[in-house]
Amino acid sequence: MRALVRNTITTTLVLMTLYVLRPGRLWAEGDGKNEEAKAKPARLEAPSPLTERERWLLDRVEQLEKRVAELETKSDTSATHLGAAPAAPLNAAIGQPTANATASAAALNDTTAAPTGASVATANSGSAPASTVVATSNPAKDPSAALIGPPQATDKGKSGAAKPQAAEPFSFADFTWLNGNARTKDTPYATSFFTPEIRADVDYVYDFNHPSDDTIGGSSEVFRSNEVQVTQLGVGGDFHYNNVRARVLTQFGMYSQTTPRNDASPSRGQWQLDNAYRYVSEAYGGYHFNALHGINVDAGIFMSYIGLFSYYQFDNWAYQPSYVSSNTPWFFNGVRVQIFPTEHLKIEPWFVNGWQSYGRFNNRPGFGMQILWRPNGWLSVLGNQYAFGEDAVGFPGRVRYHTDDSIEVKYYENQENFLSKAAFSLTGDMGCEHGGGVSCDTNHGTGANFHPKQSFLGYMLYNRLWFHKDQYGLTIGGGKINNPGRYLVLLPPINGATAASGTPYFTENPGDPFKAWDMSGTFDYMPSQYITFRWEFDHRAANVPYFSGPGGVTPTSCPTAPIVENICGSPGAFVPGFTPDLKKIENRIDLAILVKF
């Protein structure tokens, strides 16, 4: 624009000067009267000498041209230093180019920033403004979200630039490859107030033992054979406004019956806690504090993440996890505080009613701690610690301790090759109980004073391969446990037995031996980030009869009372003339369709 003005001024002045200086100007123009003169060719005459006034006009034009050039040079230099625009607009939430904003938000789908839960509303997707991005991580069984608040105000007395926002936890890389983390990178219809979530888990299991009552035991994920079953249907999501947060997800399907069945705490006191909570998998409310890289305080039912695998099969590399995961808590009822000192670290203390329990088993609650560290995009280290809970019904003073530690490593990635990605996970668990007639370390005492060792030791290892730009997945893995006392072994549902009722057909007395091992192969087809078609083969074994055999675990007649809901007498009771058919080995094929929005 400046160049155009300058050229216009210069051109105008030159034309005016030439007009003044041009010889014979009056005759060439004509006056409209002598038309004959126009038809004649113009007469060329030698230019006359310039007058003093004409020379002054030419000098003046040259001076004006120089002055315009100087002004333009100064204006360009000033613009270069003060008015240059940035190369790309910045994401207000994390100070990165907007091209990276979607990937950054998708990496948080953990609910971690946490195994992770609530879905992420990306800053640039139109789902939510950058100032209300929900950071979600799934370190394993829990989405722990870090709600990033509005940009901080400018300090008084300082420059006009606002304080830089603290980096969102775990937003520096994409962690959807993790076992226990959902692989979805965005959530349809998310807004600045609500991030919806819908999950469906439908499976068909073929059990080579062919139990006559179609009942499968010893698993917290698989319950019926040779039938199509809805294992879990979850509808809900995350609410977030002005740093206030809440999450709710329903629990319809098999989980609404099987998960409460494994909790013995409702047997103490009134109000049927198992019925009160059975249709809810997660329900909590809390507040996000804009300190450090975020602090969340939540109270309610939240995922535990002990055992690495997520409670939701869509998030996992395999459908049937090994015993270390299947036999440890999926949820806690209590209070947690998620502290993010840096964008790489989460520290999460727990105050809970007990070990996967809706209420207290005795008179002492449980305490725990989770530490999640992700120094880069290919390594995740998770530690869960639990202590001091008295978690055996009817045995006050029997205290439980447990440590659960995992490492996950992505050791290869090249999306241009047929093998697009590879990773492994390794988990190790140790635990014990002491007091109430048992010992934490060794068998000691004799007779009535004998205190058998009550402990837990186990591990599981999985290797995952992705193919053809992550559309296909193959997982091979398994694990092993040793749990004398059987205090973490899932009770087979013999004659409707529950964790509270127990059963004489499979005792859980102090010192009762139990060793088990398993292996599995899983193939996934993932045409979309929202769906998985899964085929899996499982081989499971134990040192004592444990798995449902051809005869099943349900009485067909009841000589002492009518059969009500396929239970003779009370749940788990002894039935004269009935013997459950239990086997040491189980082989099965699991087919599943898994959906998450």
Side-chain angles (χ1 to χ4, degrees):
M1 185 68 185
R2 290 187 297 269
L4 179 61
V5 172
R6 186 196 68 177
N7 292 337
T8 301
I9 295 173
T10 303
T11 302
T12 302
L13 292 173
V14 170
L15 289 175
M16 291 175 62
T17 303
L18 292 176
Y19 182 85
V20 173
L21 298 179
R22 187 175 54 182
R25 54 188 180 274
L26 296 177
W27 294 270
E29 299 259 325
D31 56 3
K33 296 179 182 178
N34 188 0
E35 298 298 329
E36 181 180 356
K38 292 183 179 180
K40 295 180 180 180
R43 185 177 56 182
L44 297 178
E45 296 182 13
S48 58
L50 297 178
T51 66
E52 182 177 353
R53 179 173 177 79
E54 289 172 343
R55 286 197 299 270
W56 177 84
L57 287 173
L58 282 177
D59 292 338
R60 187 63 178 168
V61 168
E62 291 176 359
Q63 292 175 6
L64 288 173
E65 284 182 335
K66 291 180 181 180
R67 180 60 177 165
V68 170
E70 291 174 359
L71 292 174
E72 183 177 286
T73 301
K74 290 181 180 181
S75 177
D76 290 342
T77 303
S78 176
T80 301
H81 290 286
L82 300 178
L90 295 182
N91 179 343
I94 57 177
Q96 295 179 346
T98 55
N100 296 336
T102 300
S104 173
L108 296 176
N109 189 15
D110 134 6
T111 182
T112 321
T116 339
S119 301
V120 176
T122 62
N124 292 345
S125 66
S127 299
S131 61
T132 55
V133 171
V134 177
T136 63
S137 147
N138 198 353
K141 297 177 186 173
D142 160 56
S144 37
L147 179 62
I148 303 302
Q152 298 179 13
T154 305
D155 285 352
K156 293 182 179 180
K158 296 186 179 181
S159 66
K163 285 184 178 180
Q165 281 273 67
E168 298 168 11
F170 309 117
S171 65
F172 57 88
D174 181 1
F175 290 103
T176 56
W177 60 271
L178 289 169
N179 188 11
N181 252 25
R183 73 175 191 281
T184 49
K185 297 179 182 295
D186 58 72
T187 301
Y189 308 112
T191 71
S192 60
F193 172 70
F194 179 62
T195 304
E197 185 168 334
I198 300 174
R199 292 178 178 265
D201 177 352
V202 183
D203 72 338
Y204 177 90
V205 178
Y206 183 83
D207 190 338
F208 288 91
N209 285 344
H210 303 290
S212 59
D213 60 352
D214 295 333
T215 301
I216 294 177
S219 171
S220 56
E221 299 78 22
V222 176
F223 314 105
R224 304 278 298 184
S225 68
N226 303 96
E227 299 172 348
V228 177
Q229 293 291 341
V230 177
T231 298
Q232 195 255 350
L233 177 64
V235 179
D238 295 273
F239 299 85
H240 33 80
Y241 180 74
N242 199 24
N243 284 34
V244 179
R245 29 188 276 128
R247 176 171 172 82
V248 62
L249 200 66
T250 63
Q251 181 173 262
F252 297 116
M254 295 298 296
Y255 273 176
S256 67
Q257 300 296 315
T258 57
T259 301
R261 176 258 180 198
N262 291 322
D263 175 17
S265 68
S267 65
R268 180 173 181 263
Q270 303 298 317
W271 305 120
Q272 298 179 324
L273 297 178
D274 54 344
N275 291 332
Y277 293 123
R278 69 172 59 252
Y279 298 111
V280 176
S281 63
E282 298 177 71
Y284 60 78
Y287 190 80
H288 172 81
F289 294 90
N290 296 321
L292 302 176
H293 286 251
I295 298 176
N296 300 325
V297 179
D298 302 315
I301 301 175
F302 50 87
M303 297 289 100
S304 76
Y305 283 80
I306 291 181
L308 186 64
F309 276 69
S310 170
Y311 183 60
Y312 309 113
Q313 311 308 329
F314 179 92
D315 304 346
N316 299 329
W317 295 352
Y319 196 85
Q320 173 66 68
S322 190
Y323 303 102
V324 162
S325 182
S326 191
N327 292 21
T328 53
W330 296 109
F331 71 88
F332 285 137
N333 197 342
V335 180
R336 71 178 180 189
V337 180
Q338 297 176 323
I339 305 168
F340 299 90
T342 73
E343 61 178 324
H344 300 271
L345 179 66
K346 182 185 74 167
I347 301 173
E348 182 177 312
W350 306 324
F351 171 82
V352 297
N353 291 338
W355 182 268
Q356 186 163 305
S357 62
Y358 297 126
R360 290 189 304 170
F361 293 95
N362 293 290
N363 296 318
R364 183 188 292 180
F367 298 87
M369 170 80 72
Q370 179 185 100
I371 298 178
L372 176 64
W373 180 53
R374 293 174 179 169
N376 49 54
W378 55 266
L379 176 64
S380 179
V381 180
L382 175 69
N384 294 290
Q385 320 304 324
Y386 178 86
F388 307 124
E390 296 179 350
D391 300 313
V393 172
F395 294 94
R398 184 177 294 182
V399 181
R400 181 172 299 173
Y401 302 90
H402 199 93
T403 179
D404 165 84
D405 305 289
S406 299
I407 181 173
E408 297 187 71
V409 177
K410 180 175 67 173
Y411 58 88
Y412 172 84
E413 182 167 14
N414 188 337
Q415 293 296 321
E416 300 303 318
N417 291 342
F418 178 67
L419 176 62
S420 54
K421 196 154 51 186
F424 75 85
S425 69
L426 175 63
T427 301
D429 279 39
M430 294 190 300
C432 69
E433 292 185 332
H434 73 81
V438 299
S439 172
C440 202
D441 50 1
T442 60
N443 299 325
H444 63 82
T446 58
N449 293 321
F450 178 67
H451 292 77
K453 180 180 179 180
Q454 190 115 316
S455 65
F456 183 96
L457 182 64
Y459 71 90
M460 60 183 183
L461 174 65
Y462 290 88
N463 189 74
R464 172 80 164 182
L465 305 176
W466 289 262
F467 302 94
H468 191 53
K469 299 185 183 299
D470 301 343
Q471 283 194 351
Y472 304 92
L474 177 64
T475 304
I476 304 295
K480 187 176 183 179
I481 65 166
N482 181 17
N483 186 205
R486 303 179 182 176
Y487 66 94
L488 292 187
V489 175
L490 296 171
L491 188 72
I494 303 168
N495 190 31
T498 68
S501 72
T503 178
Y505 296 106
F506 188 87
T507 61
E508 294 179 320
N509 298 322
D512 283 350
F514 187 84
K515 297 179 181 180
W517 55 94
D518 72 301
M519 63 178 296
S520 64
T522 307
F523 177 76
D524 291 337
Y525 171 52
M526 301 165 286
S528 163
Q529 63 175 306
Y530 306 115
I531 190 168
T532 298
F533 296 90
R534 178 161 291 175
W535 295 262
E536 180 171 292
F537 174 77
D538 293 308
H539 171 77
R540 312 179 84 211
N543 67 325
V544 296
Y546 181 61
F547 308 101
S548 297
V553 296
T554 303
T556 56
S557 62
C558 185
T560 59
I563 292 182
V564 179
E565 297 180 346
N566 294 322
I567 296 173
C568 175
S570 60
F574 175 78
V575 180
F578 167 71
T579 301
D581 187 6
L582 298 178
K583 301 297 181 182
K584 292 184 177 182
I585 292 177
E586 178 184 66
N587 293 308
R588 49 181 163 85
I589 296 175
D590 306 331
L591 309 176
I593 296 178
L594 309 169
V595 171
K596 176 189 179 293
F597 291 106

